[in-house]
Amino acid sequence: RRAPGSAKASLAELPGVYAVTEPPVTVGTTDSYWGRAMSPMGEGPAVGPVEVADVEAPGQVSGLTVGSGNAQVTLSWEAPGDGGSPIIEYVVQRGIFQDTLTELARVTVLNHTDTDVENGKTYYYRVFAVNALGGGERSEVALAKPLGPPAAPGVLTAKVKGKTIELTWVAPVTGNTAEVTGYKVYRGESEFELELLVELGPVTSYVDEDLTANRPYHYKVVAISDSGDSEMSRLAKGKYTPEEEPGFGAVLAMVAFGTIMVLVGARRRS
């Protein structure tokens, strides 16, 4: 036998034996072997070399993380030690119970997206690596629960207050849907020409101060989540109209036959 970096040396003499078990070797190295027949008449020619790689199954996959979205679960993990032989693939297992996981997919990268899932249902996952010797130790189990986007915000109202329009709405219920992380307010001069006005955090009101007098405004609100946006809320409308107040636009005093005539105009509040 000759180990890497060393000279060839006799390993064993075994009369009548055609197989030999070598003492422990270094995983990840490749040894070279020769064989020679021996008899009372002498030794035959050496036969070889035969290259033998010292390998074992891969180590345990670590760092398994899962992320839930709308009808999907994303998984990622860290590569383990390859046991002296390149990793061929990773086996992803899944189940609805932690102790009954079955094969879901085989991949050659360090991630996988599972799209064959139902929102609101809990799934368990684990991963192991495979090399030429076989499968390695299984990872720890991780669980995920995919959730759909929230329902549309409810009861949107628009109230004119002075030179502003105050919007209020009701947060959607998030039972088997993703948690609301914020809202988008859309505005337009018609229901069919709405544009994004502002993106907010998890609040349920907004005051629109950027208004033009006597122009109608149409509003809708959308809930934001990690699983996507909700449908739009129902429409709310508002229009800022300046109030009129009494005032003297012009005063004309005329003295005719001892009578004073006064013309009173109106002043528009700006």
Side-chain angles (χ1 to χ4, degrees), residues 150-156 167-174 177-186 196-206 220-226 228-233:
V155 195
L156 175 63
L167 302 173
T168 60
W169 57 90
V170 176
V173 177
T174 56
T177 60
E179 181 180 354
V180 174
T181 58
Y183 294 92
K184 294 177 181 177
V185 178
Y186 289 83
L196 179 63
L197 174 63
V198 65
E199 187 168 327
L200 307 169
V203 297
T204 55
S205 64
Y206 175 72
K220 287 186 178 181
V221 177
V222 166
I224 306 170
S225 79
D226 292 337
D229 293 350
S230 73
E231 297 292 328
M232 284 188 165
S233 68

Side-chain angles (χ1 to χ4, degrees), residues 80-135:
D82 63 11
S85 177
I87 292 175
I88 301 171
E89 61 188 359
Y90 295 91
V91 177
V92 181
Q93 296 180 311
R94 185 192 75 179
I96 57 175
F97 300 104
Q98 186 170 350
D99 55 351
T100 56
L101 305 185
T102 57
E103 182 176 319
L104 172 66
R106 290 176 178 253
V107 298
T108 57
V109 292
L110 298 175
N111 58 79
H112 177 67
T113 300
D114 183 9
T115 57
D116 185 22
V117 294
E118 297 179 22
N119 286 334
K121 194 172 183 178
T122 300
Y123 296 88
Y124 296 88
Y125 297 89
R126 72 183 175 195
V127 180
F128 65 89
V130 178
N131 66 8
L133 198 63

Side-chain angles (χ1 to χ4, degrees), residues 139-229:
S139 71
E140 297 293 333
V141 174
L143 64 88
K145 184 178 182 181
L147 297 170
V155 195
L156 175 63
T157 60
K159 292 183 179 180
V160 178
K161 290 190 173 182
K163 298 180 180 180
T164 69
I165 295 178
E166 181 182 46
L167 302 173
T168 60
W169 57 90
V170 176
V173 177
T174 56
N176 277 330
T177 60
E179 181 180 354
V180 174
T181 58
Y183 294 92
K184 294 177 181 177
V185 178
Y186 289 83
R187 185 186 75 175
E189 292 187 27
S190 80
E191 179 180 358
F192 308 103
E193 298 178 351
L194 301 179
E195 296 182 352
L196 179 63
L197 174 63
V198 65
E199 187 168 327
L200 307 169
V203 297
T204 55
S205 64
Y206 175 72
V207 177
D208 186 5
E209 300 177 343
D210 184 21
L211 304 176
T212 300
N214 298 313
R215 180 176 295 177
Y217 291 98
H218 299 72
Y219 299 91
K220 287 186 178 181
V221 177
V222 166
I224 306 170
S225 79
D226 292 337
S227 292
D229 293 350

